[in-house]
Amino acid sequence: MRGTKRPLGAVTSWVRRQPPKVKAFLAVVTGMAALVFIRFIVHDHDNLFVAAEAAHALGIGVLIYKLTKEKTCAGINALLYEESKSFKAFYFHLAGLSLKSQDLTALFLAVRLYCSFVMEYDIHTILDTATLIATLFVIYMIRFKLRSTYMVDKDNFALYYVVVPCAVLALLIHPSTSHNIVNRISWAFCVYLEAVSVLPQLRLMQNTKIVEPFTAHYVFALGVARFLSCAHWVLQVLDTRGRLLTALGYGLWPSMVLLSEIVQTFILADFCYYYVKSLVGGQLVLRLPSGVV
């Protein structure tokens, strides 16, 4: 077992010592390698979008399990030990769930569901309906049943910082299809809002620096879902040799769709790196260094 950990530990230590530009380059190379790998093993790239929805649903399932089993939406008080010159014990409160992130998730899912009903009813409509119902249940549990355990002082991200810019951007840049203007603006709004809906959760974890397992599993599932969704769009563009972007309309909208997918993937990339590192190291809780997320 030690023989398998040493190479991984050496690689992790080497990556951690690199400057930010080198880390960014390695992340891009890793992402491109993953895209090439997926392109060859997944023949129908539409399945990637379904897989992304499934990963998101799995993450929410983890949240529901946590809320119903532990009866708390916050992390438990944990006793962690550190050894420097003397043996010391520290009590930490682990990061729990962000109600504001769940509110944003429910908002963009509701808008996307409306657009799906009036513009293109397909399997994604069914998946979004199930995900929205599960998200609303999580919100109900946090807001009413487990309100006393909600970390309101740590969940301090101002929602208007993301909702207002997304709304303004949707008014300015939206699809140029033949659909009703309200539907086109709504479609753009949910695309932009989805890209940044996880920011309150990341802010909460940044405030505590230590993340309990269930919350870490949920955010990692979101990271996987965002990557698969991004891979779906990128590979579709490559397969159609750019015709997909033309089908979405003209102007800046096609580029903004692709940019939104890339942005939401990179927002979670740093967290996913430390999650995998923590998992490989056998840690039960995830400790985030300063500057992460």
Side-chain angles (χ1 to χ4, degrees), residues 137-155:
F137 176 77
V138 170
I139 292 174
Y140 168 75
M141 292 292 290
I142 297 176
R143 194 180 295 276
F144 299 105
K145 291 292 186 179
L146 305 174
R147 180 73 183 183
S148 60
T149 65
Y150 170 48
M151 304 173 68
V152 62
D153 57 323
K154 302 293 184 182
D155 194 15

Side-chain angles (χ1 to χ4, degrees), residues 257-272:
V257 173
L258 196 56
L259 181 62
S260 296
E261 294 290 339
I262 295 173
V263 165
Q264 61 183 317
T265 301
F266 274 92
I267 284 177
L268 287 165
D270 206 21
F271 172 85
C272 290

Side-chain angles (χ1 to χ4, degrees), residues 38-39 42-49 232 235-236 239:
I38 290 175
R39 187 175 188 182
V42 180
H43 300 291
D44 187 356
H45 296 148
D46 282 335
N47 291 335
L48 292 176
F49 197 84
H232 165 261
L235 293 178
Q236 288 285 73
D239 289 344

Side-chain angles (χ1 to χ4, degrees), residues 10 20-21 29 42 52 66-67 85 88-89 103 117 145 148 160 164 176 180 211 230 238 254 259 266 287-288 292:
K21 289 183 178 180
V29 171
V42 180
K66 167 188 168 59
L67 295 175
K85 293 183 178 179
K88 297 180 181 180
D103 288 339
F117 271 116
K145 291 292 186 179
S148 60
Y160 58 82
V164 173
S176 56
N180 182 278
V211 188
C230 181
L238 293 176
L259 181 62
F266 274 92
R287 306 190 65 181
L288 299 176
V292 177

Side-chain angles (χ1 to χ4, degrees), residues 66 70 72 74-79 92-95 212:
K66 167 188 168 59
E70 298 187 351
T72 177
I76 58 174
N77 286 321
L79 179 62
F92 291 96
H93 197 68
L94 308 186
E212 60 92 23

Side-chain angles (χ1 to χ4, degrees), residues 28-72:
V28 172
V29 171
T30 303
M32 292 177 63
L35 283 177
V36 171
F37 178 72
I38 290 175
R39 187 175 188 182
F40 282 104
I41 66 170
V42 180
H43 300 291
D44 187 356
H45 296 148
D46 282 335
N47 291 335
L48 292 176
F49 197 84
V50 177
E53 293 289 337
H56 189 180
L58 180 62
I60 296 179
V62 170
L63 291 191
I64 293 176
Y65 177 79
K66 167 188 168 59
L67 295 175
T68 54
K69 179 178 182 294
E70 298 187 351
K71 304 298 182 183
T72 177

